Amino acid sequence: MISPPTRKSPSPLAFTIIAVLIGVHVLAWQGTGFSPGALVEGWRGMVDFLDQSFPPDLSVLGESLEAAVITLYIGLLGTTFSIPFALILGILAARVTTPNAWTYQIARSILSVLRSIPDVVFALIFVTAVGLGPFAGVLALAFHNTGVMGKLWAEAMEETDPGPREALKVAGANGTQIAANAVLPAVLPQMVGLLLYRFDVNVRSSLVLGLVGAGGIGFLINQSIKLFRFDQMVTHIIVVVIVVVIVDQISAYVRRRLA
C-alpha cells in the first residue's frame, strides 16, 4: 500500500516573510491614506467632472493634433540622440567587452545615475537651463534614456554566446574587435527591439514632460486643467490615446518582424 505523500509544513522563514510583507502593506496603507470610503463619498465630484468633460470640445482638435506631432518629435529625438551614448556606455558596462574592472564599474555607475534620475526631474532641470518648450523635453529624455537603454544593451551583450568571443580572443583580437565582430552582430536584433520599445515608452513619457513645461500635448492638457476646460482636456486625451495606440502597434509589428 502506497502511503500518501507527507505535506511539508511552512518553514519559520516563510512565516517571517509573510508577516513582514503584511506589516509593510499595513504601513503603506496608513502612510498613503488609502481610503476606499473617501472614493465612494467623492462620487458627486466625479459626476461633476464627467458632466463638464463631455461632450469633448472638438474646436481644439487642430491644435491638439499639432501638439501631438510635437510630442512624437520629442520622443523620437530623445530616443535617437541617446543611441550613441547608450551604445558606448553599454559596451563599457558589459563584462564581455570590457575586461578592465575600473572602466566597467565607472560605466555602470554612470548608467545607474542617469537611470535613477526620473525624466521629469531632468525636464525640470533643463527647463531652468533652456526655458520652456520641447527642447527641454528632448534633453530630458536623451539623458534618462541613455541610462535605461545602456543598461538593457549591456545586459543583452553579456548574454551572447561565448564561443565566437573566445575564438577571436584566441586569435589575438582586442576588446574593440571582439565587440565589433562577435558581440554586436549577435545582439543587434535584440538591441533594435529594445530601442523600439524605448521609443514607445518615450512617446508616453513626453506626454508627462509636457505637464512640467516641456511642450507637446501634455502642456495643452495641463493648461486645460488649470482653466477648468475639462471638455478640451478630454479632446487632448483622446488624441493622445490614438497616437499611443498607433505607435504601439507599429513598434510591436517591427519587433515581431525582427524576432
Side-chain angles (χ1 to χ4, degrees):
M1 183 175 178
I2 300 176
S3 58
T6 57
R7 288 186 177 181
K8 292 184 179 181
S9 58
S11 65
L13 177 61
F15 278 118
T16 302
I17 292 174
I18 293 173
V20 169
L21 288 174
I22 292 174
V24 170
H25 279 79
V26 170
L27 292 174
W29 184 292
Q30 296 174 346
T32 57
F34 190 86
S35 175
L39 179 62
V40 174
E41 292 173 359
W43 69 271
R44 288 188 179 86
M46 297 176 65
V47 170
D48 291 340
F49 172 78
L50 293 175
D51 181 59
Q52 297 178 48
S53 300
F54 293 93
D57 182 5
L58 299 181
S59 66
V60 297
L61 184 59
E63 183 183 11
S64 184
L65 290 173
E66 184 178 350
V69 173
I70 297 297
T71 297
L72 280 174
Y73 289 162
I74 295 172
L76 175 64
L77 293 181
T79 305
T80 303
F81 289 158
S82 66
I83 291 176
F85 306 104
L87 180 60
I88 294 172
L89 289 171
I91 292 174
L92 296 177
R95 292 186 184 277
V96 298
T97 53
T98 306
N100 185 279
W102 280 103
T103 303
Y104 170 82
Q105 291 297 338
I106 291 173
R108 283 274 173 171
S109 298
I110 294 173
L111 291 176
S112 296
V113 171
L114 294 176
R115 193 172 65 255
S116 63
I117 300 175
D119 44 21
V120 174
V121 175
F122 272 126
L124 291 171
I125 294 172
F126 287 119
V127 161
T128 62
V130 301
L132 299 173
F135 183 36
V138 172
L139 293 174
L141 286 180
F143 272 73
H144 179 73
N145 196 61
T146 295
V148 176
M149 205 157 60
K151 173 76 159 46
L152 294 174
W153 282 356
E155 291 180 348
M157 293 176 197
E158 291 185 343
E159 294 174 359
T160 54
D161 182 10
R165 300 197 309 266
E166 295 300 327
L168 287 176
K169 188 180 296 184
V170 171
N174 56 34
T176 302
Q177 292 171 329
I178 292 174
N181 296 286
V183 177
L184 292 180
V187 81
L188 185 60
Q190 187 176 356
M191 291 175 65
V192 174
L194 291 170
L195 177 65
L196 291 171
Y197 168 73
R198 285 304 304 173
F199 170 65
D200 184 16
V201 172
N202 285 338
V203 169
R204 303 165 195 249
S205 297
S206 60
L207 165 67
V208 180
L209 299 185
L211 300 177
V212 295
I217 198 168
F219 180 76
L220 295 183
I221 293 175
N222 190 32
Q223 291 296 103
S224 299
I225 294 173
K226 289 181 177 179
L227 296 173
F228 298 100
R229 291 301 308 269
F230 301 124
D231 52 345
Q232 295 181 1
M233 180 199 71
V234 170
T235 300
H236 300 321
I237 290 177
I238 291 173
V239 171
V240 167
V241 171
I242 293 173
V243 169
V244 168
V245 169
I246 292 174
V247 171
D248 181 65
Q249 291 300 316
I250 294 174
S251 177
Y253 172 77
V254 176
R255 288 200 300 270
R256 285 196 302 269
R257 298 287 294 179
L258 290 172

